[in-house]
Amino acid sequence: MRTFIAGVATIALAATIAHGQPGKSEDKGGGNGRPAAERGNDHAGHGRSDADRPGQGAQPAAKRDDSGAPRPDAVAERGNGGGGERREERSNRDRNDEERAARTATRAPAPARATEERIRSGWPKRSEQAAHASVAGRVIERVEYARFGRNGQSLVPGCPPGLARRGNGCMPPGLARQAQRDYRPAYFGYTGLDEGRYYYGSGYLYRLGANDRVSGFIPLLGGALGVGESWPSFYEPVQLPPYYVEYFNLGDAPGYRYADDVIYRVDPDTSTITSIAALLTGDTFGVGQPKPDGYDIYNVPYDYRERYADSDDAHYRYADGYIYQVDPTTQLISAVIELVA
Amino acid sequence: MIRSPNRSVALRVAIAMSCAAAMTACSDDPATGNAAENRATSETLAAALAGTDGFSTASRALVETGLAPVFDGPGTYTLLAPDDDAFGALGAAGEALMAEDQRAVLVALLRNHIVPGQIDAESVRDAIEARGGTVRMRTLGGGSLSFALDGERLVVSREGQRAEIDTAREVIASNGAFLPIDAVLVRPPAPVSSPG
């Protein structure tokens, strides 16, 4: 939702430190202790590229970069093969909701895990920044960024589905008779759009042009992107990073969609939105980068507070399924920690 | 102020666990701001909100907009939850927000009451003390909220809208928290005489 993201949501695809399970007595705080873990190829085959799915635009595969970032000094397989079991579970979509509810109700603090390279096939790499940070004496990681896709953050030109084009364009429904309110794009979190006249109706934010004709529109969460609505064809499905798929229990790619920092679950057969899965900040965190504004308060989930407590040496903040370690002096991110077992 | 894991976290987690087991309030002292002592529950944030008196409007809003599953899910969020009186104070504008065709408008309002992670009154007070004044948290709606002390009272504001946090009623849920507030922090879109 922030303009500096310039049209895409981004995520730090981070190599992270290996930690034991929060709450265990060893290796508390500061991220020191056990050797960093590497997930290696445990994602192989986990996701499908968009190119595998008919009717969906293929995205250029991201290249893996093996250009010399120091590697963690040991390998710790995640979950002893549990990832494979989880993938198998996901294939049974009928059981997903029940399992998701059960996991949610009983979610135990998971050991943070480490990864080294997270850019995967189907993910265009926006930029790459190598960074090495020492956490309690250990060199840990390289961080890369990838884009979630081009959905949102800008007006879709033309008329939305269902709005008949007449002459030079279409007119928003009810514009003539409905009491007008000052629906600014910023109200809906869109701060990068140009000034002009906007109108809300039928779940869309419309940009009005000459003669009150629609010059562009945005489908809004809860409106055109509400539960029960069909996913709009002008927003292509994207493949989310495997970590997000796992953390938010999204299942296979045809069963979710993403736009404007929101993850949706959809019926894979009809593309009808079935639920809203997650709201994301869209903020960019990366090792070596400044902590984004607006994280002044310690917000680590309770399950992880024993391990990731603020100290003189490190502060911790949570966003979008990750815990970020921050240098209290420089306010730079020094580690990115995943929370899925 | 540096949060001491020995002083704060371990104790609060332990208290939270005991409170969660009992499912009862452990303290009602708003001056302390000790969240875990107030109410911790093994329920999800959505369930905890639905089960707390005085928040039926906020809970209904989450359900009707489709946001409730987000607060039943794996992500961790804190909701600054306006109580029923706060929504009531919006008058006709508040009633209009509940109309089916206004759900996107209501979602936008709600998103600016949601912050990432799990925060409680003690965390807020610690941050204010460490900074020596106002602190900010970004919202899931693209803006940010400012937290400050007004005497001993904890207040939150956004773009001129201000509310007091009822620290005695805050709830720590299994996947987040909600901090009760006595006003809505987003002004619904105002009528204009003509488009634009």
Side-chain angles (χ1 to χ4, degrees):
Chain A
M1 293 292 211
R2 295 195 164 179
T3 53
F4 67 77
I5 297 176
V8 295
T10 59
I11 175 179
L13 296 177
T16 61
I17 343 169
H19 292 287
Q21 184 165 354
K24 289 186 178 178
S25 59
E26 78 279 10
D27 187 24
K28 287 182 180 178
N32 57 335
R34 296 214 302 259
E38 176 185 358
R39 296 187 63 188
N41 295 323
D42 72 340
H43 285 308
H46 179 51
R48 295 193 310 184
S49 79
D50 286 346
D52 294 336
R53 298 195 299 274
Q56 295 171 345
Q59 300 187 9
K63 296 177 181 177
R64 297 175 70 90
D65 187 342
D66 298 319
S67 59
R71 300 176 69 85
D73 52 340
V75 174
E77 283 296 331
R78 176 172 56 87
N80 298 322
E85 293 172 9
R86 260 192 298 276
R87 285 192 289 276
E88 196 172 292
E89 289 173 8
R90 278 198 205 96
S91 68
N92 187 341
R93 198 164 293 115
D94 293 339
R95 288 180 8 220
N96 265 359
D97 288 344
E98 293 176 12
E99 291 168 353
R100 186 177 303 126
R103 283 193 205 108
T104 297
T106 61
R107 187 166 191 138
R113 68 184 181 196
T115 45
E116 185 178 18
E117 295 184 23
R118 306 303 308 276
I119 293 293
R120 293 166 48 75
S121 173
W123 281 89
K125 187 185 301 182
R126 189 179 74 160
S127 65
E128 178 179 309
Q129 299 184 10
H132 309 293
S134 174
V135 177
R138 289 192 304 111
V139 175
I140 51 166
E141 71 218 47
R142 183 180 67 221
V143 170
E144 299 181 46
Y145 298 97
R147 60 198 303 175
F148 276 1
R150 290 178 291 275
N151 295 342
Q153 295 296 334
S154 60
L155 291 164
V156 180
C159 297
L163 211 56
R165 176 182 292 275
R166 294 175 182 171
N168 294 325
C170 53
M171 183 172 286
L175 177 63
R177 66 178 186 277
Q178 185 174 313
Q180 299 304 303
R181 292 178 181 272
D182 185 20
Y183 293 110
R184 310 308 302 169
Y187 179 85
F188 297 99
Y190 297 94
T191 55
L193 301 182
D194 62 1
E195 294 297 319
R197 295 188 304 137
Y198 290 87
Y199 173 82
Y200 168 79
S202 303
Y204 291 93
L205 181 66
Y206 300 101
R207 170 75 162 86
L208 300 181
N211 300 318
D212 288 340
R213 300 292 176 174
V214 173
S215 61
F217 63 93
I218 294 177
L220 296 170
L221 171 61
L225 296 181
V227 174
E229 301 291 333
S230 293
W231 187 258
S233 59
F234 47 82
Y235 278 176
E236 292 184 358
V238 298
Q239 192 166 359
L240 292 173
Y243 176 74
Y244 270 52
V245 173
E246 192 164 0
Y247 184 81
F248 291 110
N249 298 321
L250 298 176
D252 295 333
Y256 65 79
R257 296 289 189 274
Y258 165 84
D260 278 340
D261 302 331
V262 180
I263 302 173
Y264 302 80
R265 289 191 176 88
V266 300
D267 182 310
D269 298 321
T270 65
S271 293
T272 299
I273 298 171
T274 57
S275 69
I276 301 165
L279 305 174
L280 306 177
T281 68
D283 284 339
T284 300
F285 290 83
V287 170
Q289 304 301 307
K291 180 186 72 175
D293 290 337
Y295 291 88
D296 295 340
I297 302 171
Y298 180 72
N299 69 338
V300 170
Y302 268 56
D303 287 342
Y304 298 92
R305 289 190 171 196
E306 189 171 3
R307 173 170 297 278
Y308 303 111
D310 280 3
S311 71
D312 290 337
D313 298 325
H315 288 177
Y316 297 91
R317 295 296 183 267
Y318 169 92
D320 301 342
Y322 291 88
I323 290 174
Y324 299 92
Q325 180 178 298
V326 181
D327 184 309
T329 303
T330 65
Q331 293 295 298
L332 299 179
I333 307 293
S334 52
V336 182
I337 302 160
E338 294 182 340
L339 302 178
V340 175
Chain B
M1 174 179 173
I2 302 302
R3 177 180 295 273
S4 162
N6 290 333
R7 175 187 69 80
S8 179
V9 176
L11 173 63
R12 278 147 31 90
V13 169
I15 292 173
M17 292 303 118
S18 63
C19 291
M23 292 290 288
T24 59
C26 294
S27 167
D28 58 2
D29 180 5
T32 66
N34 288 338
E37 289 88 334
N38 292 328
R39 183 186 170 200
T41 174
S42 58
E43 293 178 310
T44 65
L45 178 51
L49 186 71
T52 302
D53 288 342
F55 296 91
S56 61
T57 308
S59 181
R60 181 163 62 96
L62 292 184
V63 171
E64 293 188 356
T65 58
L67 289 178
V70 173
F71 301 106
D72 272 328
T76 304
Y77 304 94
T78 295
L79 175 67
L80 280 294
D83 60 20
D84 290 344
D85 290 343
F87 276 105
L90 294 177
E95 293 177 12
L97 281 173
M98 300 300 170
E100 185 173 353
D101 65 353
Q102 295 294 302
R103 283 181 180 162
V105 180
L106 181 57
V107 164
L109 180 146
L110 293 170
R111 288 177 75 174
N112 277 303
H113 290 78
I114 304 166
V115 300
Q118 202 163 19
I119 69 172
D120 53 48
E122 184 180 357
S123 302
V124 178
R125 289 177 189 276
D126 286 351
I128 292 171
E129 182 179 337
R131 283 234 167 190
T134 301
V135 295
R136 293 192 307 125
M137 280 296 291
R138 64 108 67 235
T139 72
L140 276 298
S144 65
L145 301 177
S146 296
F147 296 80
L149 283 172
D150 180 4
E152 286 299 310
R153 300 180 186 281
L154 210 50
V155 296
V156 57
S157 59
R158 177 188 179 276
E159 296 182 358
Q161 305 296 108
R162 180 179 184 272
E164 181 177 340
I165 299 174
D166 185 352
T167 58
R169 299 171 72 198
E170 69 182 359
V171 174
I172 305 302
S174 63
N175 61 344
F178 77 83
L179 304 179
I181 56 176
D182 63 357
V184 175
L185 295 169
V186 177
R187 192 188 303 272
V192 294
S193 55
S194 61

